[in-house]
Amino acid sequence: MTKVSFFGAAGEVTGSNFLIETEERKYVVDCGLFQGSDQNTEHNDEPLAYNAEEIEAVVVTHAHLDHIGRLPVLVKNGFKGPIYMTAATAELTGLVLKDAFHIMMSNFERREGEEQKPMLYEEADLNRTLDMFKPIPYHKPQTLFGEDSVTLFDAGHILGSSSALVRAGEKTLVFSGDLGHWPNTLLPHPDKIGAADMVITEATYGGVEREKKQDKLEVIKSAIDWVQERHGVLLIPAFSVERSQELLYLLHELNKLHQLPHMPIYFDSPLGIEALEVFKHHQELYSAEVKKEESTDREIFDFSGLVITPTSDESKEINDEPPPKIIIAGSGMMDGGRIAHHLKRYISHPNTLLLVVGYQAEGTLGRAIVDGAKEIMITDDRIPVHAKVEVVDIFSGHADNDDLIEWLKNIHLSTGGKVVIVHSDPDRSKVYCDELKKIMPQTDISVAVIGESVGI
Ligand SMILES: [Zn+2]
């Protein structure tokens, strides 16, 4: 019997953390942060539900914080490695974890003297974690222990992202990781995976079809035109990894089509700027189309008007530039990072356009704005919202209902095989579960429950 237990992303989207147990060994897939409301993030402080010292190896699907954010907690609790992932994921994970640590530390120092919880982990735990990364290529089985192995497949979600096929205790488990939506701007279609006894699939957009016809270039172009006409500011809060680089690539495309009006475009995301370098030296991971583009034009993330502002002084100078202007900044859910300063300054202006291109989790500032907040609080200041807020779904890096089903249908499930749904809000996972039951009446399909296990 091989057993999978769900200690995160069960009945919700964040905190991915799955434990695999065979008769002999234990492995972990992903160890992410719980994100969103205070109530949710409190789970991060809870002790791990298993003994980290007993874990033989960890597999990481991709570099998003909700999949990697508690890796140093595992190490702090005695996990000794190795941690398998693709080379691009290892590089991006290093950047994302260091960034997260600095944010955690500065928040901690800001509250010095107040009563507060200890930090989740120390810098030494983080450094030891980074030393345990073992990059492995796609499609090549890596031994975990004895006959147990992991093989990574391209998930097309962010650079280096994977679905993981784990052979454990003579059973084959497939963890979808987060799956990309296609066609994707920079990345290829997710790989097809052969056969499995159990599939653990994300369903962030289970039951939801997204508008596919609306062209990304068109959306950006009309947003730019809107602020140009009004001499306004276009604010695009964007996740530092993938979304930001995708936006730069699309702006490069618009520029090539001579459709980019003359105005400064600031890329004001220190983490995004570092991640851009990882993108630039992993061209082998681009889609065929982008590879072709890159072979004739080396600067696919550059265009006239682009201003990159890594330092905070450079970031402050953005204020001095009169509109119209465009600012791409993190964090993607607007809870912190440099976008906070720009929101503070510009969200009360009616000639500001806030273009929301990413998922906004419950409890975040971004979600409050998207839900129509008339006023927001930023660093103790009450700011009225007069900006135009436009939400576009097409930029989501997540598979929608059709994509999820297509991916799943390509996996041949053994007789008695199981599908477990994770990484989804309760409403959506129920709709998706009901739909799958209709399509696959012979299969045991369930929604993961936090703390519970499914055996095969
Ligand atoms: Zn993700």
Side-chain angles (χ1 to χ4, degrees):
M1 170 82 104
T2 297
K3 200 168 84 172
V4 179
S5 306
F6 304 90
F7 296 116
E12 64 162 304
V13 170
T14 66
S16 281
N17 186 217
F18 313 125
L19 175 71
I20 304 168
E21 289 170 273
T22 69
E23 304 284 322
E24 292 184 274
R25 300 286 152 185
K26 293 179 184 170
Y27 310 104
V28 161
V29 175
D30 288 344
C31 195
L33 267 192
F34 291 94
Q35 295 172 296
S37 63
D38 290 347
Q39 204 185 351
N40 205 23
T41 52
E42 274 171 19
H43 294 315
N44 292 321
D45 301 314
E46 289 168 9
L48 293 170
Y50 43 87
N51 183 352
E53 290 176 17
E54 293 174 1
I55 307 301
E56 197 70 40
V58 171
V59 175
V60 169
T61 61
H62 66 289
H64 276 153
L65 210 50
D66 62 320
H67 294 257
I68 58 168
R70 285 185 299 151
L71 287 172
V73 177
L74 263 185
V75 173
K76 181 182 170 181
N77 281 280
F79 171 64
K80 298 275 186 304
I83 307 174
Y84 294 111
M85 60 187 100
T86 65
T89 298
E91 289 169 47
L92 292 171
T93 297
L95 296 177
V96 172
L97 283 181
K98 282 183 206 161
D99 181 70
F101 178 75
H102 287 301
I103 294 170
M104 182 169 75
M105 204 167 62
S106 63
N107 286 340
F108 188 82
E109 284 169 354
R110 200 153 32 87
R111 296 193 199 116
E112 199 90 77
E114 293 173 32
E115 198 183 321
Q116 61 172 330
K117 286 177 286 191
M119 291 210 296
L120 266 186
Y121 55 86
E122 301 295 328
E123 193 163 18
D125 303 314
L126 169 61
N127 291 334
R128 278 190 291 146
T129 306
L130 301 180
D131 286 341
M132 292 177 191
F133 290 1
K134 296 274 179 291
I136 56 172
Y138 286 130
H139 309 140
K140 199 166 166 265
Q142 165 69 46
T143 300
L144 292 171
F145 185 86
E147 297 291 302
D148 297 344
S149 66
V150 60
T151 312
L152 300 180
F153 292 86
D154 197 338
H157 170 59
I158 66 169
L159 195 82
S161 64
S162 312
S163 298
L165 182 148
V166 178
R167 280 286 297 164
E170 296 178 357
K171 297 290 179 185
T172 303
L173 316 168
V174 170
F175 294 83
S176 69
D178 288 1
L179 293 165
H181 177 52
W182 53 89
N184 182 298
T185 306
L186 296 172
L187 304 175
H189 194 285
D191 283 330
K192 288 181 183 166
I193 302 171
D197 298 307
M198 184 175 356
V199 177
I200 293 90
T201 178
E202 70 121 324
T204 320
Y205 283 91
V208 181
E209 287 309 329
R210 283 205 308 273
E211 182 60 67
K212 290 185 182 174
K213 293 184 198 85
Q214 200 185 12
D215 187 27
K216 289 178 180 176
L217 287 178
E218 217 172 85
V219 169
I220 297 177
K221 176 77 170 71
S222 62
I224 294 174
D225 289 347
W226 193 92
V227 293
Q228 195 188 24
E229 276 165 30
R230 289 162 182 80
H231 286 272
V233 178
L234 173 58
L235 288 182
I236 314 181
F239 296 106
S240 308
V241 177
E242 197 73 29
R243 193 69 54 251
S244 294
Q245 293 76 20
E246 177 184 12
L247 286 167
L248 294 183
Y249 178 78
L250 293 168
L251 289 163
H252 164 91
E253 290 292 286
L254 272 184
N255 191 43
K256 259 181 47 182
L257 298 166
H258 305 289
Q259 290 189 19
L260 198 58
H262 188 72
M263 69 173 81
I265 302 176
Y266 296 98
F267 184 33
D268 191 27
S269 163
L271 177 59
I273 294 165
E274 286 185 294
L276 183 58
E277 293 309 309
V278 182
F279 276 70
K280 284 180 181 171
H281 70 253
H282 278 291
Q283 297 103 325
E284 80 282 3
L285 300 177
Y286 300 166
S287 69
E289 205 179 310
V290 177
K291 272 183 192 158
K292 203 169 131 209
E293 169 95 25
E294 207 265 347
S295 67
T296 56
D297 179 354
R298 306 285 303 168
E299 301 297 332
I300 57 167
F301 299 108
D302 200 6
F303 45 87
S304 68
L306 177 65
V307 185
I308 288 182
T309 52
T311 69
S312 57
D313 283 344
E314 287 165 305
S315 176
K316 280 177 195 146
E317 283 167 20
I318 298 174
N319 291 338
D320 303 335
E321 183 70 30
K325 58 187 168 187
I326 300 170
I327 304 168
I328 302 169
S331 71
M333 298 191 203
M334 301 179 235
D335 264 338
R338 292 191 181 165
I339 195 70
H341 307 292
H342 302 302
L343 286 170
K344 197 169 174 178
R345 192 174 169 96
Y346 295 113
I347 201 162
S348 57
H349 295 210
N351 52 1
T352 294
L353 174 56
L354 179 69
L355 188 66
V356 181
V357 295
Y359 179 79
Q360 305 299 313
E362 207 79 54
T364 59
L365 179 62
R367 175 61 83 90
I369 295 172
V370 164
D371 286 346
K374 295 273 178 285
E375 244 181 17
I376 54 171
M377 291 294 288
I378 299 180
T379 52
D380 298 331
D381 288 319
R382 202 175 283 279
I383 322 268
V385 178
H386 296 306
K388 180 181 174 188
V389 179
E390 198 178 323
V391 183
V392 279
D393 257 359
I394 48 166
F395 286 91
S396 166
H398 280 282
D400 68 7
N401 198 62
D402 278 357
D403 301 328
L404 289 167
I405 288 172
E406 188 194 323
W407 177 83
L408 187 60
K409 274 182 161 173
N410 279 315
I411 301 173
H412 178 77
L413 266 178
S414 60
T415 311
K418 293 181 179 176
V419 173
V420 186
I421 297 168
V422 295
H423 205 284
S424 185
D425 290 333
D427 297 354
R428 287 188 179 172
S429 40
K430 183 172 184 321
V431 173
Y432 188 56
C433 187
D434 290 345
E435 181 159 353
L436 286 186
K437 281 179 177 166
K438 274 183 230 150
I439 303 170
M440 308 161 79
Q442 310 300 333
T443 308
D444 178 336
I445 300 162
S446 60
V447 177
V449 178
I450 191 92
E452 293 193 2
S453 312
V454 177
I456 190 86

